Each structure stands twice: as C-alpha cells, then as structure tokens.
Amino acid sequence: MTRRRAEGAGRLTRLALLTAIALTIFLIEAQLPALTTIPGIKLGLANIVTVYAVFTLGPRDALMILCARVFLGAVFSGQMTTLWYSAAGGLLSWCALCLLRKALDKRQLWLSSPVAGVCHNLGQLLAAAAMLGTWAVLAYLPYLVLAGLLAGLFTGVAAQTLIGRMEKLGR
Amino acid sequence: MSRNGKIILLVLLAAAGLSVAAVAARRGETDHPVARITWDGEVVEEIELDRVGRGYSFTLESQEGSNTISVEKGRIRVAQADCPDQVCVDQGWIADGTVPIVCLPHKLVIEIVGGGSAFDAAAG
C-alpha cells in the first residue's frame, strides 16, 4: 500500500475532505435511534474513514482526521460530555490499527477493524470507569466486546471494499 | 491467509467466545438483591430491595442535574432525569446484577449486588 504522499495544499485538501466525510457520516448516524438500551453500542460508520486513512495515508494523517472528527462531532452534536469517551476509544483503536497496519497484508486488512472496534469500546469503558469512579460499569464489558466485534466486522469489510475501489480508480 | 491474519482471527473468536460465556454466567437471580447507588465516585445509598414494602421515589440533585429514582420490592429504576440522552431512564427496571444503570452526564451508577451473609452481618 505504498504510494506517493501528497504534500502541501494537496495533503491539506485530502485531510479536510476526509474529515468532512467522516463528520457527515458521524452526525447522520447520531440521528438514528439507539440500537439497544445498552449505552455505547453503535455501528461507528465514521470509522470506515479512520481505517481507510490509517492504511492508505498513514498513522499521522489518520490521527489528525480522527481528532478533528471526534472534537467537531462532539461540538456539532451538542454532547460535550461524550467527548472524553469518544477520544479515549478513538485513540485506543487508532493505536490498534497502527500496530496491525504492518502485520496484515492488503487482502485482509478488514481484520484490523474488529480489533479496533473492541479497543474503541474498551477505551470508552475505561474512561467511563475513571469518570464515574467505580468499576461497576465493567459489567458492560462482554456486551461491548461483542458489539465492537460485529460493528468492526461491518466497517472493516466496508473499508476493504472502499480501498479496493479507490485503487481501481487509480487514486 | 497469512499467519498474522490467522492469529488475529483466532484472538477475535476467543474474545467472542469469552464474552458470550461471561454474558451467560452473569445471568441468574440474586436471592438477596441490594441496590448500591454510586454518585460521583461515592456510595451514597444501599437499599435492600427484598425488604422494600411500598414503593417510593427520591431525587438526587447536584449542579450537573437531577435523577429521580424509584424503588419497588425487588427492583429499581431511574424514573426521571434531566440529562439530554435519557439512557438511564430508557433502561427501565433492573432486578439482578446483569448490567448496572449508568447515567454518564450525572456520574450516577446503580448496580445490584448480591448481598450475602457478609452484608447481613454488617447491617446487624
């Protein structure tokens, strides 16, 4: 997955475009009704962009898109309290993606996404435990692991398809 | 599929298996349910749910907001909250230790612990 990295204005434009796409997906998904009564479970479709960015643009650019999306997403959805949970989850899943980036070959990078999904939910839960000052919330762990796996599988396959299509376009 | 891919797949399957096992293991009634209310990191109330006669409600208030908690024999819920997401209200009644009720914005957790003989001794 090597390719010439865009510099200067080209790179800035690409980052801005991907951030805008991720933010749009995030805000539309936030309007959908909750899937379950268990808090923190959702598809996380905006992570398709994160997976795509980590594998095609590299960890640094992906981190910038992720941070911008998490912050602006909290601002635009008006729920600043969720910022710390998404930030903790996002950073942990970004770490997982970066570690798996070299370990996986091109045909199987979708596998990194369920790992990232589980890490995201784990980070979120640890942030919640720290904020609430009790380990009682860890009762949610098995549910969140399963949800992270399934959601990650979905976004992973989507990201894999996206990367394949984009390569055919020669971009 | 490469070796790394297989390892990751195995780890994922193991995680899924363990989670299903954990969910299955946590189900089951507690014979002496005690609701422990943790608020901003401190236990503020422990209610022995099987000794509740008539149902009652009370309200916890802080500068962040308020939660009205309803208690009935054997179960507890958040009846009202002024947070934007209403996750705690939507969860409804809980009666066993499967999952606690959590109100993230107000830092409130209601969990049900199986108070065994140790609790009885402490309560006198």
Side-chain angles (χ1 to χ4, degrees), chain A residues 37-39 78-79 81-82 85 100 102-105 108 110-112 114-115 118 128 131-134 136-137 139-143 145-146 149 153, chain B residues 1-2 4-5 8-9 12 15-16 19-20 22-23 26-27 38 40-41 84-85 87 90-91 97-105 107-109 111:
Chain A
T37 54
I38 295 176
Q79 302 202 351
T81 47
T82 62
Y85 310 106
L100 291 173
K102 299 274 179 214
L104 290 168
D105 67 43
Q108 47 182 230
W110 59 273
L111 267 175
S112 65
V115 181
V118 172
M131 292 277 266
L132 295 164
T134 168
V137 289
Y140 283 112
L141 184 63
Y143 299 94
V145 167
L146 285 175
L149 279 173
L153 211 57
Chain B
M1 189 173 274
S2 75
N4 286 334
I8 292 168
L9 203 58
L12 289 176
S19 301
V20 171
V23 169
R26 274 194 83 93
R27 293 215 179 271
T38 312
D40 207 1
D85 55 21
V87 168
D90 291 343
Q91 201 171 340
T98 312
V99 285
I101 296 174
V102 177
C103 178
L104 281 180
K107 297 184 183 171
L108 175 77
V109 179
E111 62 184 310

Side-chain angles (χ1 to χ4, degrees), chain A residues 94-163:
Chain A
W94 173 80
C95 291
L97 285 174
C98 293
L99 287 175
L100 291 173
R101 186 168 178 254
K102 299 274 179 214
L104 290 168
D105 67 43
K106 215 167 108 185
R107 294 246 146 259
Q108 47 182 230
L109 50 85
W110 59 273
L111 267 175
S112 65
S113 188
V115 181
V118 172
C119 287
H120 182 282
N121 287 354
L122 190 67
Q124 221 173 25
L125 201 59
L126 290 178
M131 292 277 266
L132 295 164
T134 168
W135 291 110
V137 289
L138 283 187
Y140 283 112
L141 184 63
Y143 299 94
L144 288 178
V145 167
L146 285 175
L149 279 173
L150 291 175
L153 211 57
F154 188 78
T155 52
V157 171
Q160 177 94 62
T161 311
L162 176 69
I163 290 169

Side-chain angles (χ1 to χ4, degrees), chain B residues 12-41:
Chain B
L12 289 176
L13 285 174
L18 280 176
S19 301
V20 171
V23 169
R26 274 194 83 93
R27 293 215 179 271
E29 301 288 308
T30 348
D31 48 337
H32 182 62
V34 175
R36 179 185 293 157
I37 300 172
T38 312
W39 198 33
D40 207 1

Side-chain angles (χ1 to χ4, degrees), chain A residues 4-105:
Chain A
R4 199 167 53 83
R5 211 172 261 180
E7 289 301 329
R11 176 167 175 238
L12 189 65
T13 310
R14 182 175 289 157
L15 288 179
L17 185 63
L18 284 171
T19 305
I21 293 171
L23 194 56
T24 310
I25 297 174
F26 177 83
L27 288 172
I28 290 176
E29 197 190 345
Q31 300 306 311
L32 300 175
L35 294 170
T36 62
T37 54
I38 295 176
I41 291 186
K42 57 179 210 158
L43 269 173
L45 293 174
N47 292 313
I48 297 172
V49 175
T50 312
V51 176
Y52 172 81
V54 166
F55 281 94
T56 60
L57 306 181
R60 262 188 60 201
D61 286 3
L63 184 62
M64 283 193 269
I65 295 170
L66 178 71
C67 289
R69 190 260 293 172
V70 165
F71 177 71
L72 292 175
V75 171
F76 289 157
S77 64
Q79 302 202 351
M80 288 309 280
T81 47
T82 62
L83 177 66
W84 302 112
Y85 310 106
S86 350
L91 285 179
L92 205 61
S93 68
W94 173 80
C95 291
L97 285 174
C98 293
L99 287 175
L100 291 173
R101 186 168 178 254
K102 299 274 179 214
L104 290 168
D105 67 43

